[in-house]
């Protein structure tokens, strides 16, 4: 039995001559909240559609709970609930009717519809036409539709889009509850790292169809250790002196060196060391490389 | 089979509040109602002809059949086939529908069967309402001779043939509406097809029966020939009905393969 809820191997996809997904190797552990990050147009929605078999993929590239997707389509989809792009709801039906329709399609008890409406806070708007719902209400209904069959795996494409701060917090809490109490696995895509950072256990960063980072949230934090930025007249000599005295060089370019931050005292020591050895220090200051900057740095390199 | 059943029930559930569904009921009610009203208010004029029972039923049912077969039925079929698919295009719900754990063929076939069912409801209501309203007219105007003849065979043969002859148009329009989200393309092609069908049927072109849009009109024309023969002798599976059915089966299969190969946007 695979330990991954989703695993893709060398997944590619083209729109005409344009390659939109390049050799994607996702590994989403069971029970995780996997934050799928990337700027707009990075290929997040395309990936989700491939995972749902809405877009054609080659055989043996996508595995859901260890099962090959193309040859086990129905069995795989039975374990998945999804919200892709804007919630797809029938505007002429009420919120409740939308849920009842899904119960009919899935052959489940229609009473589940009322339960879901309560879960996403739409009980009062149950009999209102879904076309008249606000964007946030539509999003809630979309989440209720994704959850109604109690799937093991949830694919949520920007689920907090259009929600107010309270709604965002509720969705976050719901995701945490679903994974921690009910053992579900959630793939949640977003273009905002700050949103993912609070809930995700694992992160995958995609840009221009290629996976640039994949790992736990802690591994991502590791990458964003604070640094000291030093501006000097001769960066080669300075780098030499710093390395000999135990500093860890993160990056260096003409006139600027970045070293790992290890405390205020060390920063002072490095300063005096450079000055004593005849290097002119124009500026020295700690620099917090927050996740948002890291995300931008990762995606802009690509 | 379960997937097909669930998808079919869902089709009914989501479209029961739409015009496509109600039109299948309203259309026969309005047309048959208007004709019955005409026969009620113009009874003295009609009674002058002294029609025998069978001829009176023939005249009475032809009134709605002619309006239906020539113009209204092809247009209703176009509108209904468009509507059944447009419910997904308009709400951008194809992606949700095809991400459910249901067999793709079952989802497609349920939609097609639902469109066939709507056509069947519409075509069944016509003979039913004609029958009921004829007997109602007999009660209101006892001089009518509706009671002298049972029109069951006549009506079932006429409308049965009309239904089968419309299947070709239904399948073409269904596939066109499946491919295109906009209203103009399928409706435009359907409109041109219907006009071309009417012209070729009227000028009596030898191969007109090969155009599915011609078939309902040709089927009715064959029915008209029964004026002097017994309705029991009206052949149902004539060449235009076969063409219509062959188109229906071929396009149903083609439609599925189009869907299978297509990426769901």
């Amino acid at each position: 039995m695979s330990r991954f809820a989703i695993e893709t191997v060398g997944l590619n996809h083209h729109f005409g001559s344009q390659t939109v997904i390049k050799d994607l190797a996702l590994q989403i552990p069971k029970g995780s909240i996997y934050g799928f990050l990337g700027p707009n147009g990075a290929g997040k929605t395309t990936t989700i559609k491939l995972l749902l078999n809405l877009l054609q993929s080659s055989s043996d590239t996508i595995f859901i709970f260890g099962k090959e997707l193309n040859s086990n389509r129905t069995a795989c989809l039975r374990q998945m609930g999804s919200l892709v792009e804007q919630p797809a709801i029938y505007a002429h039906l009420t919120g409740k009717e939308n849920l009842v329709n899904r119960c009919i399609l899935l052959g489940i008890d229609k009473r589940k519809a009322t339960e879901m409406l309560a879960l996403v806070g739409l009980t009062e708007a149950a009999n209102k036409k879904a076309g008249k719902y606000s964007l946030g209400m539509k999003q809630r209904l979309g989440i209720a539709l994704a959850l109604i069959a109690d799937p093991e795996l949830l694919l949520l494409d920007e689920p907090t889009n259009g929600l107010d701060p309270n709604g965002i917090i509720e969705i976050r809490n719901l995701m945490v509850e679903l994974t921690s109490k009910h053992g579900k696995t959630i793939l949640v895509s977003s273009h905002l790292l700050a949103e993912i950072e609070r809930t995700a256990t694992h992160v995958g960063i995609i840009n221009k169809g290629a996976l640039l980072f994949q790992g736990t949230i802690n591994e991502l934090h590791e990458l964003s250790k604070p640094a000291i930025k030093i501006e000097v007249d001769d960066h080669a000599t300075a780098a030499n002196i710093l390395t000999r005295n135990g500093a860890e060089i993160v990056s260096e370019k003409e006139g600027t060196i970045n070293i790992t931050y290890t405390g205020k005292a060390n920063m002072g020591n490095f300063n005096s060391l450079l000055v004593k050895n005849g290097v002119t220090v124009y500026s020295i200051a700690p620099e917090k490389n927050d996740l948002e900057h890291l995300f931008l740095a990762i995606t802009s390199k690509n | 089979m379960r997937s097909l059943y669930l998808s079919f029930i869902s089709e009914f559930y989501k479209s029961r509040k739409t015009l496509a569904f109600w039109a299948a009921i309203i259309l026969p009610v309005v047309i048959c109602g208007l004709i019955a009203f005409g026969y009620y208010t113009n009874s003295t004029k009609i009674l002058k002809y002294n029609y025998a029972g069978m001829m009176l039923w023939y005249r009475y049912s032809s009134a709605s059949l002619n309006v239906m077969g020539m113009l209204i039925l092809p247009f209703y079929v176009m509108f209904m086939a468009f509507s059944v698919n447009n419910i997904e295009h308009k709400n951008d719900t194809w992606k949700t529908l095809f991400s459910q754990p249901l067999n793709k063929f079952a989802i497609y076939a349920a939609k097609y069967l639902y469109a066939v069912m709507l056509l069947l409801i519409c075509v069944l209501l016509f003979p039913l309402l004609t029958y009921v309203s004829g007997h109602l007219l007999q009660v209101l105007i006892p001089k009518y001779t509706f009671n002298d003849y049972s029109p069951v065979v006549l009506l079932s043969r006429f409308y049965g043939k009309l239904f089968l002859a419309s299947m070709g148009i239904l399948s073409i329009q269904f596939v066109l509406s499946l491919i295109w989200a906009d209203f103009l393309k399928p409706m435009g092609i359907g409109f041109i097809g219907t006009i071309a069908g009417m012209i070729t049927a009227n000028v009596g072109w030898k191969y007109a029966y090969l155009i599915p849009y011609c078939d309902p009109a040709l089927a009715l024309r064959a029915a008209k020939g029964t004026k002097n023969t017994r309705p029991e002798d009206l052949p149902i599976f004539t060449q235009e009905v076969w063409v219509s059915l062959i188109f229906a089966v071929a396009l149903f299969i083609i439609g599925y393969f189009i869907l299978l190969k297509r990426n769901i946007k």
Side-chain angles (χ1 to χ4, degrees):
Chain A
M1 199 62 187
S2 170
R3 65 187 182 94
F4 298 115
I6 298 174
E7 188 176 14
T8 67
V9 184
L11 181 63
N12 289 291
H13 193 72
H14 309 268
F15 285 141
S17 58
Q18 189 194 357
T19 306
V20 283
I21 298 294
K22 276 179 252 168
D23 211 17
L24 196 70
L26 288 179
Q27 289 188 326
I28 303 178
K30 282 180 196 168
S32 66
I33 300 181
Y34 187 97
F36 194 37
L37 277 166
N40 292 330
K44 303 186 294 290
T45 303
T46 305
T47 307
I48 290 178
K49 285 187 174 177
L50 282 163
L51 296 174
L52 288 167
N53 197 239
L54 292 173
L55 301 177
Q56 307 285 325
S57 59
S58 314
S59 55
D60 289 327
T61 52
I62 300 174
F63 298 87
I64 307 291
F65 291 109
K67 282 186 198 144
E68 203 278 324
L69 178 67
N70 285 334
S71 46
N72 300 284
R73 180 182 166 273
T74 318
C76 289
L77 290 177
R78 196 165 289 130
Q79 292 177 294
M80 296 155 95
S82 61
L83 168 69
V84 188
E85 292 173 311
Q86 300 302 313
I89 47 182
Y90 296 103
H92 67 287
L93 299 180
T94 65
K96 191 176 179 182
E97 284 169 339
N98 267 285
L99 289 162
V100 169
N101 179 53
R102 184 61 61 86
C103 291
I104 294 173
L105 266 180
L106 298 167
I108 54 176
D109 191 346
K110 287 176 193 160
R111 276 174 296 185
K112 202 82 170 118
T114 319
E115 207 179 291
M116 283 297 125
L117 284 165
L119 182 77
V120 295
L122 283 175
T123 306
E124 278 176 28
N127 297 316
K128 190 177 168 182
K129 286 250 163 75
K132 295 207 166 76
Y133 277 12
S134 68
L135 181 59
M137 288 162 90
K138 284 181 184 169
Q139 205 71 12
R140 284 162 192 267
L141 183 59
I143 291 167
L145 285 165
L147 288 170
I148 201 160
D150 198 21
E152 283 307 301
L153 170 64
L154 270 171
L155 307 183
L156 305 175
D157 190 12
E158 314 214 355
T160 51
N161 217 357
L163 292 184
D164 54 26
N166 272 339
I168 294 175
I169 293 166
E170 281 170 27
I171 297 301
R172 264 188 219 144
N173 294 341
L174 181 66
M175 288 199 292
V176 173
E177 194 184 313
L178 284 169
T179 47
S180 59
K181 288 192 187 162
H182 305 280
K184 311 281 181 199
T185 308
I186 302 177
L187 166 76
V188 54
S189 84
S190 178
H191 57 274
L192 300 170
L193 179 73
E195 193 187 301
I196 295 291
E197 207 187 331
R198 316 230 173 148
T199 47
T201 54
H202 292 72
V203 177
I205 298 177
I206 185 176
N207 194 26
K208 294 178 186 167
L211 198 61
L212 305 179
F213 170 85
Q214 180 167 249
T216 63
I217 194 87
N218 290 336
E219 282 166 348
L220 186 69
H221 278 126
E222 281 290 305
L223 286 179
S224 64
K225 276 192 283 191
I228 304 167
K229 186 181 178 186
I230 312 167
E231 283 185 280
V232 289
D233 59 346
D234 180 358
H235 77 274
T237 315
N240 206 1
I241 298 163
L242 290 168
T243 316
R244 268 192 278 123
N245 288 281
E248 189 188 331
I249 310 257
V250 179
S251 66
E252 62 172 288
K253 59 182 180 186
E254 196 56 51
T256 311
I257 298 172
N258 282 303
I259 60 169
T260 308
Y261 179 81
T262 45
K264 263 187 182 178
N266 277 345
M267 189 163 76
N269 289 341
F270 288 135
N271 186 20
S272 46
L273 200 66
L274 289 170
V275 175
K276 273 183 203 159
N277 284 285
V279 177
T280 307
V281 177
Y282 301 124
S283 75
I284 179 164
E287 196 176 55
K288 174 90 175 86
N289 195 3
D290 63 24
L291 282 180
E292 205 64 60
H293 281 102
L294 181 73
F295 173 50
L296 285 173
I298 291 174
T299 51
S300 62
K301 264 185 224 162
N302 179 233
Chain B
M1 228 25 218
R2 185 174 149 78
S3 286
L4 183 69
Y5 171 74
L6 294 174
S7 302
F8 187 83
I9 299 294
S10 160
E11 284 302 321
F12 169 71
Y13 185 80
K14 65 193 176 198
S15 71
R16 75 200 194 288
K17 286 182 178 176
T18 62
L19 190 61
F21 177 75
W22 283 104
I25 295 163
I26 293 167
L27 208 64
V29 170
V30 169
I31 293 175
C32 291
L34 283 174
I35 291 164
F37 183 72
Y39 266 65
Y40 177 70
T41 50
N42 290 320
S43 58
T44 35
K45 218 163 120 188
I46 296 161
L47 282 169
K48 274 184 201 161
Y49 291 104
N50 277 326
Y51 288 131
M54 180 186 154
M55 191 41 94
L56 184 64
W57 273 114
Y58 178 79
R59 290 270 165 199
Y60 186 58
S61 56
S62 292
S64 51
L65 261 172
N66 286 339
V67 183
M68 266 296 278
M70 271 301 191
L71 211 63
I72 297 182
L73 189 72
F75 280 104
Y76 171 65
V77 166
M78 276 181 234
F79 167 72
M80 184 260 289
F82 168 77
S83 239
V84 169
N85 286 311
N86 187 248
I87 204 168
E88 313 299 342
H89 287 307
K90 189 174 69 186
N91 296 305
D92 198 11
T93 37
W94 285 116
K95 60 187 180 199
T96 332
L97 203 54
F98 285 104
S99 56
Q100 299 312 310
L102 298 166
N103 184 288
K104 275 186 182 177
F105 179 74
I107 297 171
Y108 168 76
K111 254 194 189 306
Y112 183 83
L113 287 178
Y114 186 68
V116 173
M117 190 200 73
L118 286 182
L119 177 65
L120 191 67
I121 290 176
C122 183
V123 176
L124 273 178
L125 275 176
F126 268 102
L128 189 73
L129 290 171
T130 305
Y131 184 84
V132 171
S133 61
H135 282 97
L136 185 69
L137 280 168
Q138 182 69 56
V139 173
L140 294 172
I141 299 160
K143 281 185 182 168
Y144 271 142
T145 52
F146 284 114
N147 270 350
D148 297 352
Y149 179 77
S150 168
V152 176
V153 177
L154 179 106
L155 290 174
S156 52
R157 290 213 156 221
F158 278 9
Y159 279 101
K161 194 161 181 175
L162 189 63
F163 170 70
L164 294 174
S166 308
M167 287 295 291
I169 308 183
L170 177 69
S171 298
I172 296 175
Q173 292 301 132
F174 184 83
V175 172
L176 292 180
S177 306
L178 186 76
I179 301 170
W180 288 311
D182 68 322
F183 183 74
L184 285 176
K185 281 179 199 145
M187 291 306 263
I189 293 172
F191 190 77
I192 293 167
T194 307
I195 302 290
M198 279 162 69
I199 295 170
T200 46
N202 280 334
V203 299
W205 185 45
K206 206 161 59 163
Y207 300 110
Y209 69 93
L210 293 174
I211 307 171
Y213 293 92
C214 253
D215 294 338
L218 288 175
L220 281 183
R221 182 163 299 180
K224 272 184 188 169
T226 58
K227 205 188 288 186
N228 301 317
T229 53
R230 293 184 319 142
E232 289 84 354
D233 298 332
L234 170 73
I236 293 205
F237 290 97
T238 45
Q239 55 185 10
E240 61 274 4
V241 169
W242 280 117
V243 168
S244 166
L245 291 177
I246 290 166
F247 263 92
V249 172
L251 278 147
F252 174 72
I253 297 166
I254 292 168
Y256 176 61
F257 281 102
I258 292 174
L259 189 78
L260 210 58
K261 291 286 152 207
R262 199 171 67 166
N263 286 325
I264 312 289
K265 291 284 182 308

